Short mmCIF file of all heavy atoms in Angstrom, two decimals:
data_model
loop_
_atom_site.label_atom_id
_atom_site.label_comp_id
_atom_site.label_asym_id
_atom_site.label_seq_id
_atom_site.Cartn_x
_atom_site.Cartn_y
_atom_site.Cartn_z
N ALA A 12 0.83 -1.20 0.00
CA ALA A 12 0.00 0.00 0.00
C ALA A 12 0.87 1.25 0.00
O ALA A 12 0.49 2.28 -0.54
CB ALA A 12 -0.91 0.00 1.22
N ARG A 13 2.06 1.15 0.60
CA ARG A 13 2.94 2.31 0.71
C ARG A 13 4.37 1.81 0.85
O ARG A 13 4.64 0.85 1.57
CB ARG A 13 2.55 3.12 1.93
CG ARG A 13 3.29 4.38 2.10
CD ARG A 13 2.67 5.16 3.23
NE ARG A 13 3.53 6.28 3.55
CZ ARG A 13 3.39 7.01 4.61
NH1 ARG A 13 2.43 6.74 5.47
NH2 ARG A 13 4.19 8.01 4.84
N VAL A 14 5.29 2.46 0.20
CA VAL A 14 6.71 2.08 0.25
C VAL A 14 7.53 3.29 0.68
O VAL A 14 7.33 4.38 0.16
CB VAL A 14 7.21 1.59 -1.13
CG1 VAL A 14 8.70 1.33 -1.10
CG2 VAL A 14 6.45 0.36 -1.56
N ARG A 15 8.43 3.08 1.64
CA ARG A 15 9.38 4.11 2.06
C ARG A 15 10.75 3.48 2.06
O ARG A 15 10.92 2.33 2.46
CB ARG A 15 9.07 4.61 3.45
CG ARG A 15 7.75 5.38 3.49
CD ARG A 15 7.62 6.08 4.77
NE ARG A 15 8.56 7.21 4.74
CZ ARG A 15 8.55 8.19 5.62
NH1 ARG A 15 7.68 8.18 6.59
NH2 ARG A 15 9.41 9.16 5.53
N ILE A 16 11.74 4.22 1.65
CA ILE A 16 13.11 3.75 1.66
C ILE A 16 13.88 4.63 2.63
O ILE A 16 14.13 5.79 2.35
CB ILE A 16 13.73 3.78 0.25
CG1 ILE A 16 12.91 2.88 -0.66
CG2 ILE A 16 15.19 3.36 0.30
CD1 ILE A 16 13.29 2.96 -2.12
N LEU A 17 14.21 4.06 3.79
CA LEU A 17 14.88 4.82 4.83
C LEU A 17 16.40 4.66 4.76
O LEU A 17 17.13 5.49 5.25
CB LEU A 17 14.37 4.40 6.21
CG LEU A 17 12.86 4.59 6.41
CD1 LEU A 17 12.44 4.03 7.76
CD2 LEU A 17 12.49 6.05 6.30
N SER A 18 16.84 3.55 4.23
CA SER A 18 18.26 3.33 3.98
C SER A 18 19.09 3.04 5.23
O SER A 18 20.28 3.29 5.24
CB SER A 18 18.85 4.51 3.23
OG SER A 18 19.76 4.06 2.28
N THR A 19 18.49 2.55 6.27
CA THR A 19 19.23 2.12 7.44
C THR A 19 18.57 0.89 8.04
O THR A 19 17.46 0.96 8.55
CB THR A 19 19.39 3.23 8.49
OG1 THR A 19 19.92 2.66 9.68
CG2 THR A 19 18.11 3.93 8.81
N THR A 20 19.23 -0.23 7.92
CA THR A 20 18.68 -1.51 8.36
C THR A 20 18.30 -1.49 9.83
O THR A 20 17.24 -1.99 10.21
CB THR A 20 19.70 -2.63 8.09
OG1 THR A 20 19.96 -2.65 6.69
CG2 THR A 20 19.17 -3.97 8.53
N CYS A 21 19.13 -0.93 10.65
CA CYS A 21 18.87 -0.91 12.09
C CYS A 21 17.58 -0.16 12.42
O CYS A 21 16.75 -0.64 13.18
CB CYS A 21 20.06 -0.29 12.82
SG CYS A 21 19.95 -0.44 14.59
N LEU A 22 17.40 1.02 11.84
CA LEU A 22 16.19 1.80 12.08
C LEU A 22 14.96 1.08 11.52
O LEU A 22 13.92 1.00 12.17
CB LEU A 22 16.30 3.19 11.46
CG LEU A 22 15.05 4.07 11.53
CD1 LEU A 22 14.61 4.27 12.98
CD2 LEU A 22 15.30 5.39 10.85
N GLU A 23 15.08 0.55 10.32
CA GLU A 23 13.95 -0.16 9.71
C GLU A 23 13.54 -1.37 10.56
O GLU A 23 12.36 -1.62 10.76
CB GLU A 23 14.29 -0.55 8.28
CG GLU A 23 14.40 0.67 7.38
CD GLU A 23 15.03 0.38 6.04
OE1 GLU A 23 15.78 -0.61 5.90
OE2 GLU A 23 14.77 1.16 5.10
N ALA A 24 14.51 -2.11 11.06
CA ALA A 24 14.20 -3.27 11.92
C ALA A 24 13.52 -2.83 13.21
O ALA A 24 12.56 -3.46 13.67
CB ALA A 24 15.47 -4.05 12.22
N ALA A 25 14.01 -1.74 13.79
CA ALA A 25 13.38 -1.23 15.01
C ALA A 25 11.94 -0.82 14.76
O ALA A 25 11.06 -1.05 15.58
CB ALA A 25 14.19 -0.05 15.56
N LEU A 26 11.68 -0.22 13.60
CA LEU A 26 10.31 0.18 13.26
C LEU A 26 9.40 -1.04 13.07
O LEU A 26 8.23 -1.00 13.43
CB LEU A 26 10.31 1.07 12.02
CG LEU A 26 10.92 2.46 12.21
CD1 LEU A 26 11.09 3.17 10.87
CD2 LEU A 26 10.07 3.29 13.17
N VAL A 27 9.94 -2.11 12.52
CA VAL A 27 9.15 -3.35 12.40
C VAL A 27 8.86 -3.90 13.79
O VAL A 27 7.73 -4.24 14.11
CB VAL A 27 9.88 -4.40 11.53
CG1 VAL A 27 9.15 -5.74 11.57
CG2 VAL A 27 9.99 -3.92 10.08
N ALA A 28 9.88 -4.00 14.63
CA ALA A 28 9.70 -4.54 15.98
C ALA A 28 8.70 -3.72 16.79
O ALA A 28 7.91 -4.28 17.56
CB ALA A 28 11.05 -4.59 16.71
N GLU A 29 8.70 -2.41 16.58
CA GLU A 29 7.81 -1.51 17.31
C GLU A 29 6.39 -1.52 16.75
O GLU A 29 5.45 -1.11 17.41
CB GLU A 29 8.40 -0.09 17.25
CG GLU A 29 7.85 0.86 18.26
CD GLU A 29 6.86 1.83 17.64
OE1 GLU A 29 6.82 1.99 16.42
OE2 GLU A 29 6.11 2.42 18.41
N GLY A 30 6.22 -1.99 15.52
CA GLY A 30 4.90 -2.04 14.90
C GLY A 30 4.58 -0.84 14.04
O GLY A 30 3.45 -0.70 13.56
N ALA A 31 5.55 0.04 13.81
CA ALA A 31 5.31 1.23 13.00
C ALA A 31 5.26 0.92 11.51
O ALA A 31 4.57 1.62 10.76
CB ALA A 31 6.38 2.29 13.28
N ILE A 32 6.00 -0.08 11.07
CA ILE A 32 5.94 -0.53 9.68
C ILE A 32 5.81 -2.05 9.66
O ILE A 32 6.13 -2.72 10.65
CB ILE A 32 7.18 -0.08 8.85
CG1 ILE A 32 8.48 -0.68 9.39
CG2 ILE A 32 7.27 1.44 8.80
CD1 ILE A 32 9.70 -0.39 8.53
N ASP A 33 5.32 -2.58 8.56
CA ASP A 33 5.08 -4.02 8.46
C ASP A 33 6.31 -4.82 8.10
O ASP A 33 6.48 -5.94 8.56
CB ASP A 33 3.99 -4.31 7.42
CG ASP A 33 2.63 -3.77 7.85
OD1 ASP A 33 2.37 -3.72 9.07
OD2 ASP A 33 1.85 -3.39 6.97
N ALA A 34 7.16 -4.26 7.24
CA ALA A 34 8.31 -5.05 6.77
C ALA A 34 9.30 -4.18 6.04
O ALA A 34 8.99 -3.06 5.63
CB ALA A 34 7.83 -6.15 5.82
N PHE A 35 10.49 -4.72 5.86
CA PHE A 35 11.45 -4.17 4.92
C PHE A 35 12.26 -5.32 4.36
O PHE A 35 12.29 -6.41 4.93
CB PHE A 35 12.33 -3.09 5.54
CG PHE A 35 13.52 -3.59 6.30
CD1 PHE A 35 14.74 -3.81 5.65
CD2 PHE A 35 13.45 -3.84 7.64
CE1 PHE A 35 15.84 -4.27 6.35
CE2 PHE A 35 14.55 -4.29 8.35
CZ PHE A 35 15.75 -4.51 7.69
N ALA A 36 12.89 -5.07 3.22
CA ALA A 36 13.63 -6.16 2.58
C ALA A 36 14.73 -5.64 1.68
O ALA A 36 14.66 -4.54 1.15
CB ALA A 36 12.66 -7.00 1.73
N ASP A 37 15.72 -6.48 1.52
CA ASP A 37 16.73 -6.32 0.50
C ASP A 37 16.24 -7.20 -0.65
O ASP A 37 16.12 -8.41 -0.50
CB ASP A 37 18.09 -6.80 1.03
CG ASP A 37 19.10 -7.06 -0.08
OD1 ASP A 37 18.94 -6.52 -1.19
OD2 ASP A 37 20.05 -7.80 0.17
N ALA A 38 15.99 -6.60 -1.77
CA ALA A 38 15.37 -7.34 -2.88
C ALA A 38 16.38 -8.13 -3.69
O ALA A 38 16.68 -7.81 -4.83
CB ALA A 38 14.60 -6.38 -3.78
N CYS A 39 16.91 -9.17 -3.06
CA CYS A 39 17.75 -10.15 -3.76
C CYS A 39 19.12 -9.64 -4.19
O CYS A 39 19.71 -10.19 -5.10
CB CYS A 39 17.02 -10.74 -4.96
SG CYS A 39 15.42 -11.44 -4.55
N SER A 40 19.64 -8.63 -3.53
CA SER A 40 20.96 -8.14 -3.92
C SER A 40 22.05 -8.55 -2.94
O SER A 40 23.20 -8.13 -3.09
CB SER A 40 20.95 -6.61 -4.08
OG SER A 40 20.74 -5.99 -2.82
N ASP A 41 21.71 -9.36 -1.95
CA ASP A 41 22.69 -9.84 -0.97
C ASP A 41 23.52 -8.71 -0.39
O ASP A 41 24.74 -8.74 -0.38
CB ASP A 41 23.60 -10.90 -1.59
CG ASP A 41 22.91 -12.24 -1.74
OD1 ASP A 41 21.85 -12.44 -1.10
OD2 ASP A 41 23.42 -13.09 -2.47
N THR A 42 22.84 -7.70 0.12
CA THR A 42 23.49 -6.52 0.67
C THR A 42 23.79 -6.64 2.17
O THR A 42 24.78 -6.13 2.64
CB THR A 42 22.61 -5.28 0.43
OG1 THR A 42 22.44 -5.13 -0.97
CG2 THR A 42 23.22 -4.03 1.00
N HIS A 43 22.92 -7.33 2.90
CA HIS A 43 23.06 -7.35 4.36
C HIS A 43 24.17 -8.27 4.85
O HIS A 43 24.32 -9.39 4.40
CB HIS A 43 21.74 -7.80 4.99
CG HIS A 43 20.68 -6.78 4.88
ND1 HIS A 43 19.58 -6.95 4.06
CD2 HIS A 43 20.56 -5.58 5.44
CE1 HIS A 43 18.81 -5.88 4.15
NE2 HIS A 43 19.39 -5.03 4.97
N ARG A 44 24.92 -7.75 5.83
CA ARG A 44 25.90 -8.54 6.56
C ARG A 44 25.30 -8.89 7.91
O ARG A 44 24.26 -8.37 8.30
CB ARG A 44 27.18 -7.73 6.77
CG ARG A 44 27.87 -7.34 5.48
CD ARG A 44 28.98 -6.35 5.72
NE ARG A 44 28.38 -5.13 6.27
CZ ARG A 44 29.01 -4.26 7.05
NH1 ARG A 44 30.26 -4.45 7.37
NH2 ARG A 44 28.41 -3.18 7.50
N LEU A 45 25.97 -9.75 8.64
CA LEU A 45 25.49 -10.13 9.97
C LEU A 45 25.31 -8.89 10.85
O LEU A 45 24.31 -8.79 11.56
CB LEU A 45 26.46 -11.11 10.63
CG LEU A 45 26.10 -11.50 12.05
CD1 LEU A 45 24.76 -12.23 12.07
CD2 LEU A 45 27.18 -12.35 12.66
N VAL A 46 26.23 -7.94 10.77
CA VAL A 46 26.12 -6.75 11.61
C VAL A 46 24.88 -5.92 11.27
O VAL A 46 24.41 -5.15 12.10
CB VAL A 46 27.39 -5.87 11.55
CG1 VAL A 46 28.59 -6.60 12.10
CG2 VAL A 46 27.67 -5.40 10.13
N ASP A 47 24.36 -6.09 10.07
CA ASP A 47 23.14 -5.38 9.68
C ASP A 47 21.88 -6.06 10.24
O ASP A 47 20.89 -5.39 10.51
CB ASP A 47 23.01 -5.33 8.15
CG ASP A 47 24.15 -4.59 7.49
OD1 ASP A 47 24.52 -3.51 7.99
OD2 ASP A 47 24.68 -5.10 6.49
N LEU A 48 21.92 -7.36 10.40
CA LEU A 48 20.72 -8.11 10.77
C LEU A 48 20.72 -8.67 12.19
O LEU A 48 19.70 -9.16 12.65
CB LEU A 48 20.51 -9.27 9.78
CG LEU A 48 20.25 -8.84 8.33
CD1 LEU A 48 20.23 -10.06 7.42
CD2 LEU A 48 18.94 -8.07 8.22
N ALA A 49 21.83 -8.59 12.90
CA ALA A 49 21.92 -9.20 14.23
C ALA A 49 20.90 -8.61 15.20
O ALA A 49 20.20 -9.35 15.90
CB ALA A 49 23.33 -9.05 14.79
N ALA A 50 20.79 -7.29 15.26
CA ALA A 50 19.82 -6.67 16.17
C ALA A 50 18.40 -7.02 15.78
O ALA A 50 17.55 -7.27 16.64
CB ALA A 50 20.00 -5.16 16.19
N ALA A 51 18.13 -7.09 14.49
CA ALA A 51 16.80 -7.46 14.03
C ALA A 51 16.46 -8.89 14.44
O ALA A 51 15.32 -9.19 14.82
CB ALA A 51 16.70 -7.33 12.51
N ALA A 52 17.45 -9.77 14.37
CA ALA A 52 17.22 -11.17 14.76
C ALA A 52 16.77 -11.28 16.21
O ALA A 52 16.01 -12.16 16.57
CB ALA A 52 18.48 -11.99 14.52
N VAL A 53 17.22 -10.35 17.04
CA VAL A 53 16.83 -10.37 18.45
C VAL A 53 15.52 -9.62 18.65
O VAL A 53 14.56 -10.16 19.19
CB VAL A 53 17.94 -9.75 19.33
CG1 VAL A 53 17.49 -9.64 20.78
CG2 VAL A 53 19.21 -10.57 19.23
N THR A 54 15.45 -8.36 18.23
CA THR A 54 14.30 -7.52 18.55
C THR A 54 13.04 -7.90 17.79
O THR A 54 11.95 -7.94 18.37
CB THR A 54 14.62 -6.04 18.29
OG1 THR A 54 14.98 -5.86 16.92
CG2 THR A 54 15.74 -5.54 19.18
N VAL A 55 13.18 -8.16 16.51
CA VAL A 55 11.98 -8.45 15.71
C VAL A 55 11.40 -9.82 16.07
O VAL A 55 10.18 -9.95 16.21
CB VAL A 55 12.30 -8.34 14.20
CG1 VAL A 55 11.12 -8.80 13.36
CG2 VAL A 55 12.66 -6.90 13.86
#
């Protein structure tokens, strides 16, 4: 319904965990490293 590109994995993951946004994704470009997703793995 709506797309926003914030460009920071940590902030986007926090917004998902908090319920402010439904999801975010890297569209098949293999951009994320463990340091990008570790906090999301815990909080989300």
Side-chain angles (χ1 to χ4, degrees):
R13 185 172 170 192
V14 174
R15 293 192 72 168
I16 300 173
L17 301 175
S18 219
T19 170
T20 300
C21 188
L22 175 58
E23 291 167 337
L26 291 171
V27 172
E29 197 256 343
I32 63 174
D33 294 329
F35 84 89
D37 163 21
C39 305
S40 67
D41 284 344
T42 300
H43 289 110
R44 297 170 297 153
L45 176 63
V46 296
D47 299 315
L48 297 173
V53 175
T54 59
V55 173

